[in-house]
Structure formats: structure tokens, C-alpha cells
Amino acid sequence: MKRPKPPLNILIVEDEPLIAMDMEMMVEDAGHTVIAEAASLYDAQDLEDDLKPNIAFVDIQLARNTSGLDVSKLIQQRWPETIIVFVTANPKIIPEDFGGAHGVMPKPLSHSGFIAAMKYLQEGVCDPPPILQQPNSFTASPAFAASWND
């Protein structure tokens, strides 16, 4: 039997304030903590090095003409253990290698779909591999999915 999983620390990188607020509420509804938010690459660069997010939800098109792909690279350098999930209305613009991210969630986000994805990711972070079936609201990158099969 699997043990209860601890709450996760979440970073939200989203330039639409209402979407960021909605995501924050859903993260908290799932029992986790939003430790920081950013609306652009520049905001993400200004975050403290000791944040250590477990999961980062990153929009692709961000404020100040910046890209979530660049934020993904920054997160990989600063917090290499962080699971990066792109959240975008256009998943087709994500590179084939997912830009180093672990997966994607399509917008618009439904509450139930977001919560299902959070539970799946929590298992993958706290007690891999997840035993839950991958929800339709989340697509794992091929490399991330393969890491659970090793």
C-alpha cells in the first residue's frame, strides 16, 4: 500500500492574471502550495534560487514577448529536479522533444482535468512510477514516460 503523499511546491508561470489565479485555486484545492508565480522570463529570472519547486506549470506565450520554452531552459538549469508541464491553448507549437519539459496540459483547463493531472504528477514525483492511469488532461513527453518504465 502506498503511503500518503506530501503536498508539492508549485511554480506557476502564466501571464494571464485570471488564468494564474484559477490555477492557484486548483493547486490549493488539490492540497498543494503555490510557492511563486511569474508572468515572463524576466520574472522567472528574478525568483530566488532556493525555491526548489516540485512542479512548474508554464505557459508557452508569456508577457514581455518571452517564451515558456526559455523559461523551461531556465528551470532546468536552476532547479533540475523540477517537473515542467507546459500549459497552452496550442499544444502543437511545442517542439517534438517537448523543449525539455515533462508534459503538456491543454487550455482551457477544467477543474476535474487539472486535479486528475495533479494527482498523476504527484505520484510520479513522490512515488514513481504513478499507478494511476495517465489522465486525458495531461500528455507526458516520450522521454518522461520512458523514465518511469526503466
Side-chain angles (χ1 to χ4, degrees), residues 112-132:
S112 61
F114 189 88
I115 298 296
M118 283 291 312
K119 287 179 182 174
Y120 181 77
L121 289 165
Q122 184 180 22
E123 280 196 353
V125 170
C126 299
D127 196 6
I131 57 171
L132 292 173

Side-chain angles (χ1 to χ4, degrees), residues 5-46:
K5 291 153 196 65
L8 299 176
N9 291 322
I10 309 296
L11 167 61
I12 296 174
V13 184
E14 169 61 61
D15 63 329
E16 294 290 334
L18 290 175
I19 294 173
M21 237 172 43
D22 198 31
M23 289 176 69
E24 183 173 357
M25 286 182 356
M26 289 188 286
V27 164
E28 291 171 357
D29 283 352
H32 305 292
T33 305
V34 175
I35 56 170
E37 292 185 33
S40 71
L41 172 63
Y42 306 111
D43 295 339
Q45 288 170 332
D46 290 341

Side-chain angles (χ1 to χ4, degrees), residues 21-72:
M21 237 172 43
D22 198 31
M23 289 176 69
E24 183 173 357
M25 286 182 356
M26 289 188 286
V27 164
E28 291 171 357
D29 283 352
H32 305 292
T33 305
V34 175
I35 56 170
E37 292 185 33
S40 71
L41 172 63
Y42 306 111
D43 295 339
Q45 288 170 332
D46 290 341
L47 296 172
E48 299 294 323
D49 283 332
D50 61 357
L51 270 186
K52 299 194 182 7
N54 299 111
I55 299 174
F57 292 110
V58 181
D59 189 9
I60 293 288
Q61 296 173 320
L62 296 168
R64 299 172 64 187
N65 211 21
T66 61
S67 167
L69 294 170
D70 293 327
V71 171
S72 176

